[in-house]
Amino acid sequence: MHRPLARFPLRSIADSLLKSKPRQHGRRNVAENMGYSRALTTSKGLEFLVYGTESTTRSMQMQIVDALHLGDRSKASNLLLDLGHGNHSLRPDDFVHILNYCARSPDPLFVMETLRLMEEREIGLNEICYLLIVRALCKGGYLEEAFNLINFLGERQGIYPILSVYNSFLGACAKMRNIFHANQCLDLMERQMVGKNEVTYSELLKLAVWQKNLSAVHEIWKEYVKHYSFSIISLRKFIWSFTRLRDLESAYQTLQYMVALVIRGSIFVNRTAEGKLYPYRIDIPIPSNGELCSKKFDLKGNEHSIPSAYRNIEQCTTSSLENREAESGRLGVLNRYESMPVKKVLRWSFSDVIHACAQAQNCGLAEQLIIQMKNLGLQPSSHTYDGFVRAVVSERGYNDGMEVLKVMQQSNLKPYDSTLATLSMGCSKVLELDLAESLLDQISECSYPHPYNAFLAACDRMDQPERAVKILAKMKHLKIPPDIRTYELLFSLFGNVNAPYEEGNMLSQVDAAKRINAIEMDMAKNGVQHSHLSMKNLLKALGAEGMIRELIQYLQVAENLFCRNNTYIGTPIYNTVLHSLVEAKESQMAVEIFKNMKSCGIPPDAATYNIMIDCCSISRCFKSACALVSMMVRDGFYPQTLTHTALIKILLEEENFDEALNLLDQACSEGLDLDVLLFNTILQKAYEKGRIGVIEFIVEMMRQEKIHPDPSTCYYVFSTYVDCGFHSTAFEAFQVLSMRMLSEEDGIDHEKMEFEDDFILSEDSEAESRILELFKTSEENIAVALLNLRWCAMAGFPVSWSPDQSPWARRLSRNYDSRKIAA
């Protein structure tokens, strides 16, 4: 927030303006009526007005400017008083250096101090002083005061409005994103019939882009065409606007028209003293010709418009260049602009459209534009390739993106850090952690944590928290502030100490508590509050460690936190707690929380009911489970495979295999998408009770329903036969199920001989080590199946790739069919 300006009578400023020499106003009016108002806004014209007049007070002005530059405001104020109370007469030009410095700094407070002195000495203002005053106020953030001044002066007769003043004000509104004052300014311009020039349209485009108002950009386009012919600078600004608002079609068409103008040789661009680009022409409104605004360039999608983005690139540049001689001639046309900024403007515009292609995930068009740039003799810059890599990775993946990186390196172009970040995120997405980490190590500066979050997410999926530690250190070294996504992943990666399927102990629980506390302290340090997912992951970590007391305490913390923030806590958080309690066999506590959910108006979902039905297996109460199923159906949730699994689990606790199998038949008849977990639940209990008949029925039913066996299936079946003394049958079943595991994997058929020679029958001492390597690539089922088959071969059982033809498999099939007929 800026400090309020000291009160200064605007009427005094207006009166001082009226004291300016009449011939100056007259000269200004004639010039502006002829369209030469740009002289006030270009740095060249400003430099002439500011420094072109020598005066006896120049040295004192420079002393004041030096004092302000050094921050010695008291000295500057004293020197200003000395300047104002000298014996010599003063003119507006004697304050121009001071006002110019205040406009550039900006220093609106010292501007007002200067104006008070000018009022006391009754020194009239000229137009450059007026412009500098408004610029100082606008740049200093005092839009209200600046508008009041412009508005007051506009109401006085004899004051001809200066367009550059309005443009400065609109530019400040665009920079500060103040649409209210911008609309006030436009209304005032319309009342005073000020008109618009190219600078005005440029500022209006910025405002429209900030408002995300694409229709306004098109309206500005229509109005611009009525008064001006296009320059390469104006086309660039429209391209910038279209790309920011994701209007890829309009941006592309505008770019192609720009290329056509350049090839025709009717484009010239110069630089100001500050290095800013401007079209080399006088700012006199000349309407665009009919060809541009009617048939050949209709942004609304006329069929006669510049060719669509998906047509051949050789047709897109200009219709007059249709053969190869004309194509090669383009390079010659651009060569004459080698020493001018035309190529730079073209390259900028191509880059803008290619970045828009990345946002729209239109890799094909981005690739066409890269080809067109090279055909035109435009070398894509690192910024251009940054957009191209984004487009390629988003649609084709990181491999193609790495190929683009190689092309950059061959062209001696250093990739942006954002380019490396994009490639790293693409690698993390497909779990290529080595390459993703290598790319992250090459990043020297990054203001956002997204690529690092992507790597942390990959580490979480791969269960490799040790790799995440190095990346966290990298983030700290680069001073990259973590966001809530970072902390969500940290709780998932480091919240619990034990590996999956291991129970927590006292040491691991202490360590987990320390980790969670450290993460929360870092959250508080960075001003990040818990999200639903971060709290869910924290609760999940506590449940995995068996820290039930802490789990309930943090649930209360979550309830208070989200209630205080007027945020709905959500059912998933309660489901996480309920699941942890059921896993810890805390059935009574789970029931209490479920009741509290219902009483507080938090609606259970299908997952909630499935968890509570599973909870009934602890108390072995099938009646309560059926009551929950009824509630579930009343709430609009139809029982799914998980529901049947929980119900069957309860029946099996009571050793009621017949009802469990009937429920399984019911699930099959209802067309549910059955899974191996459902069948393994029955196999596990049958193994514990030595029920070979149930085992064989379930195995055949799995084959009939095309359910893939997994390592647990093999274990339960093999162990049941071994425990019952049927060792030969155990190995035969073991081999058949392992073969089925391989046969069900996609793309395995052509690898059978390779598996047999390299893994199953290999006498190489490293064969088993090679099999274990498959676990690292997440091919667990293949690895387990190969190990099983290797052990069967070592036990003397020959390899057969037709498992259904084995005597054991045929017997199971006959028995299954007989039972079905009997039923």
Side-chain angles (χ1 to χ4, degrees):
M1 296 294 291
H2 58 260
R3 292 178 295 158
L5 281 173
R7 181 67 60 186
F8 186 80
L10 294 174
R11 186 171 298 277
S12 298
I13 301 177
D15 291 340
S16 65
L17 276 169
L18 289 173
K19 295 176 185 177
S20 298
K21 298 178 182 179
R23 61 185 181 90
Q24 291 178 332
H25 292 296
R27 189 167 64 243
R28 180 188 65 227
N29 292 347
V30 172
E32 292 193 349
N33 286 335
M34 292 179 64
Y36 287 97
S37 60
R38 178 176 287 279
L40 287 174
T41 58
T42 63
S43 61
K44 185 176 181 181
L46 184 60
E47 184 178 357
F48 174 79
L49 288 168
V50 174
Y51 299 110
T53 304
E54 293 292 333
S55 71
T56 57
T57 59
R58 179 184 175 92
S59 62
M60 186 168 289
Q61 286 190 72
M62 298 314 296
Q63 290 180 45
I64 294 172
V65 169
D66 291 340
L68 288 172
H69 182 70
L70 295 172
D72 194 347
R73 300 184 66 84
S74 60
K75 180 180 178 180
S77 298
N78 292 332
L79 289 170
L80 181 64
L81 290 175
D82 292 342
L83 173 64
H85 295 100
N87 295 327
H88 49 276
S89 61
L90 295 172
R91 301 172 301 162
D93 288 339
D94 295 325
F95 295 89
V96 167
H97 292 291
I98 300 170
L99 295 176
N100 183 52
Y101 175 81
C102 292
R104 286 187 292 109
S105 299
D107 193 339
L109 297 178
F110 201 79
V111 159
M112 300 309 294
E113 192 174 336
T114 305
L115 284 175
R116 290 193 191 94
L117 178 64
M118 295 177 73
E119 183 191 26
E120 291 174 5
R121 294 296 302 270
E122 297 184 350
I123 302 168
L125 298 178
N126 58 19
E127 61 187 26
I128 190 61
C129 291
Y130 175 32
L131 174 61
L132 292 173
I133 291 168
V134 172
R135 282 187 178 176
L137 292 173
C138 290
K139 287 186 178 181
Y142 296 95
L143 293 183
E144 183 71 29
E145 291 80 359
F147 179 77
N148 289 338
L149 174 60
I150 297 170
N151 185 36
F152 183 80
L153 293 176
E155 294 175 353
R156 296 300 298 265
Q157 294 181 356
I159 300 297
Y160 190 86
I162 305 172
L163 181 55
S164 55
V165 171
Y166 291 92
N167 288 341
S168 293
F169 186 81
L170 285 174
C173 291
K175 186 176 182 180
M176 297 181 66
R177 298 183 174 183
N178 191 319
I179 195 63
F180 173 75
H181 282 107
N183 285 330
Q184 281 188 318
C185 181
L186 290 172
D187 291 340
L188 183 60
M189 291 173 69
E190 186 175 352
R191 291 199 305 270
Q192 296 181 354
M193 294 182 291
V194 177
K196 300 182 182 72
N197 63 7
E198 292 194 76
V199 177
T200 316
Y201 289 114
S202 175
E203 301 303 342
L204 292 177
L205 282 175
K206 293 176 186 176
L207 285 164
V209 170
W210 168 67
Q211 283 190 292
K212 298 182 179 179
N213 192 340
L214 180 60
S215 61
V217 174
H218 282 280
E219 289 301 319
I220 294 169
W221 171 277
K222 291 178 181 178
E223 187 175 339
Y224 184 95
V225 168
K226 293 177 183 177
H227 300 96
Y228 287 94
S229 61
F230 280 101
S231 68
I232 192 171
I233 300 298
S234 60
L235 288 172
R236 156 138 181 79
K237 290 175 180 176
F238 276 105
I239 289 171
W240 175 85
S241 303
F242 289 134
T243 55
R244 292 306 183 276
L245 297 177
R246 303 196 177 192
D247 186 354
L248 181 57
E249 182 181 358
S250 297
Y252 175 81
Q253 292 174 345
T254 310
L255 174 65
Q256 297 309 314
Y257 184 74
M258 176 191 284
V259 172
L261 287 182
V262 172
I263 291 176
R264 291 173 194 164
S266 56
I267 290 293
F268 299 95
V269 180
N270 273 355
R271 291 181 183 274
T272 65
E274 289 85 1
K276 294 183 179 180
L277 302 179
Y278 69 94
Y280 189 61
R281 69 180 186 185
I282 299 175
D283 188 3
I284 299 178
I286 301 176
S288 296
N289 56 38
E291 177 188 284
L292 175 64
C293 57
S294 59
K295 292 184 179 179
K296 291 198 176 181
F297 199 54
D298 180 9
L299 291 179
K300 291 297 184 182
N302 190 301
E303 63 181 358
H304 299 293
S305 62
I306 295 291
S308 168
Y310 301 99
R311 298 181 192 174
N312 192 288
I313 203 68
E314 292 183 357
Q315 299 173 349
C316 294
T317 307
T318 175
S319 59
S320 63
L321 302 175
E322 296 180 350
N323 50 48
R324 291 189 177 274
E325 289 78 12
E327 178 70 28
S328 61
R330 294 178 187 174
L331 298 178
V333 171
L334 292 186
N335 283 340
R336 60 178 170 170
Y337 295 114
E338 195 67 39
S339 59
M340 298 178 65
V342 171
K343 276 193 169 183
K344 181 170 288 189
V345 176
L346 266 176
R347 187 179 292 110
W348 287 342
S349 297
F350 268 98
S351 296
D352 282 345
V353 180
I354 289 172
H355 276 268
C357 290
Q359 290 181 323
Q361 295 188 349
N362 191 334
C363 179
L365 179 57
E367 191 169 26
Q368 284 184 322
L369 290 171
I370 289 289
I371 294 171
Q372 185 181 15
M373 288 184 71
K374 293 181 178 179
N375 288 341
L376 291 168
L378 290 172
Q379 174 62 40
S381 64
S382 295
H383 178 66
T384 311
Y385 276 118
D386 182 58
F388 186 46
V389 167
R390 290 171 188 263
V392 169
V393 172
S394 66
E395 190 171 332
R396 299 181 185 172
Y398 81 96
N399 276 322
D400 285 13
M402 293 302 296
E403 292 301 317
V404 177
L405 183 62
K406 291 178 182 177
V407 173
M408 291 182 66
Q409 292 169 344
Q410 291 169 2
S411 301
N412 294 321
L413 288 174
K414 183 179 180 182
Y416 282 2
D417 285 332
S418 56
T419 307
L420 298 172
T422 300
L423 290 168
S424 177
M425 286 190 285
C427 295
S428 296
K429 185 177 180 180
V430 295
L431 306 180
E432 289 287 343
L433 295 186
D434 291 337
L435 185 53
E437 186 174 1
S438 173
L439 290 164
L440 287 177
D441 287 339
Q442 297 176 49
I443 295 177
S444 58
E445 186 176 353
C446 189
S447 59
Y448 50 87
H450 309 317
Y452 299 91
N453 288 346
F455 187 84
L456 292 176
C459 291
D460 190 29
R461 287 175 60 190
M462 297 290 289
D463 191 29
Q464 296 184 13
E466 64 281 355
R467 298 194 70 156
V469 174
K470 183 179 178 181
I471 292 302
L472 290 172
K474 176 78 172 177
M475 289 181 66
K476 186 175 182 180
H477 174 71
L478 294 178
K479 298 180 180 178
I480 300 171
D483 61 5
I484 184 57
R485 178 57 180 158
T486 312
Y487 291 112
E488 290 169 354
L489 292 164
L490 290 182
F491 282 119
S492 182
L493 279 162
F494 302 109
N496 64 299
V497 178
N498 284 308
Y501 315 115
E502 289 186 16
E503 294 183 359
N505 53 54
M506 187 177 297
L507 293 177
S508 68
Q509 290 174 358
V510 171
D511 198 3
K514 289 180 179 178
R515 293 184 182 188
I516 291 172
N517 184 56
I519 296 171
E520 288 203 300
M521 287 180 64
D522 199 66
M523 287 180 69
K525 176 184 174 182
N526 289 289
V528 179
Q529 284 196 341
H530 270 291
S531 67
H532 285 79
L533 183 55
S534 67
M535 183 59 74
K536 179 182 173 182
N537 288 345
L538 189 158
L539 294 168
K540 186 177 179 181
L542 292 172
E545 287 291 337
M547 302 168 69
I548 302 304
R549 181 171 59 86
E550 291 81 358
L551 178 72
I552 301 303
Q553 289 175 349
Y554 266 98
L555 175 61
Q556 294 171 350
V557 169
E559 291 172 335
N560 295 333
L561 174 65
F562 293 119
C563 179
R564 189 166 59 248
N565 294 335
N566 294 320
T567 304
Y568 177 63
I569 188 171
T571 305
I573 285 181
Y574 283 100
N575 288 347
T576 301
V577 175
L578 289 173
H579 176 74
S580 297
L581 292 173
V582 172
E583 288 293 307
K585 300 191 181 302
E586 295 284 351
S587 59
Q588 193 60 41
M589 199 175 295
V591 171
E592 289 299 321
I593 290 178
F594 178 73
K595 289 180 179 179
N596 289 338
M597 279 182 65
K598 300 277 287 184
S599 63
C600 293
I602 299 171
D605 58 13
T608 314
Y609 284 113
N610 286 328
I611 292 169
M612 293 310 298
I613 291 170
D614 190 31
C615 180
C616 294
S617 66
I618 300 172
S619 58
R620 300 183 181 184
C621 185
F622 188 73
K623 184 177 180 180
S624 297
C626 291
L628 285 166
V629 171
S630 298
M631 293 172 60
M632 183 179 185
V633 172
R634 285 199 301 271
D635 284 347
F637 303 107
Y638 191 78
Q640 297 299 316
T641 302
L642 193 60
T643 314
H644 285 81
T645 303
L647 291 171
I648 288 173
K649 186 177 178 181
I650 299 170
L651 291 171
L652 292 175
E653 290 295 329
E654 299 175 353
E655 299 186 27
N656 193 342
F657 283 96
D658 291 338
E659 285 300 322
L661 293 177
N662 289 337
L663 196 56
L664 179 61
D665 286 336
Q666 180 183 335
C668 292
S669 63
E670 291 176 357
L672 296 180
D673 188 15
L674 306 181
D675 58 25
V676 70
L677 177 63
L678 172 59
F679 291 95
N680 283 347
T681 300
I682 302 175
L683 289 175
Q684 180 182 8
K685 200 66 180 180
Y687 152 64
E688 292 173 359
K689 301 301 179 181
R691 301 287 296 269
I692 292 180
V694 174
I695 290 280
E696 293 181 343
F697 177 80
I698 292 299
V699 168
E700 181 58 23
M701 190 175 188
M702 289 177 66
R703 188 185 72 83
Q704 297 278 351
E705 297 294 331
K706 295 182 172 54
I707 303 300
H708 306 174
D710 68 2
S712 296
T713 311
C714 296
Y715 171 76
Y716 296 139
V717 174
F718 179 80
S719 299
T720 302
Y721 283 120
V722 169
D723 290 350
C724 294
F726 302 111
H727 297 93
S728 179
T729 307
F731 274 104
E732 185 180 359
F734 202 48
Q735 186 183 56
V736 168
L737 293 175
S738 299
M739 283 293 182
R740 287 177 181 173
M741 285 175 64
L742 283 180
S743 299
E744 299 295 350
E745 292 292 334
D746 294 334
I748 292 299
D749 289 342
H750 69 280
E751 297 179 354
K752 289 179 179 178
M753 295 306 298
E754 180 182 343
F755 283 154
E756 189 170 334
D757 294 337
D758 295 346
F759 299 110
I760 301 173
L761 300 179
S762 175
E763 297 182 1
D764 185 358
S765 60
E766 299 297 322
E768 292 189 7
S769 298
R770 291 197 300 271
I771 294 175
L772 294 177
E773 287 292 320
L774 295 173
F775 282 101
K776 296 182 180 180
T777 57
S778 301
E779 297 177 290
E780 295 180 9
N781 282 358
I782 295 177
V784 172
L786 290 175
L787 284 174
N788 293 347
L789 292 172
R790 182 173 174 80
W791 294 335
C792 288
M794 294 172 64
F797 287 84
V799 176
S800 171
W801 292 103
S802 300
D804 294 343
Q805 299 304 313
S806 77
W808 177 78
R810 290 201 301 270
R811 179 173 63 80
L812 263 58
S813 179
R814 288 194 303 270
N815 292 344
Y816 183 85
D817 293 339
S818 300
R819 175 167 177 168
K820 283 294 184 183
I821 292 172

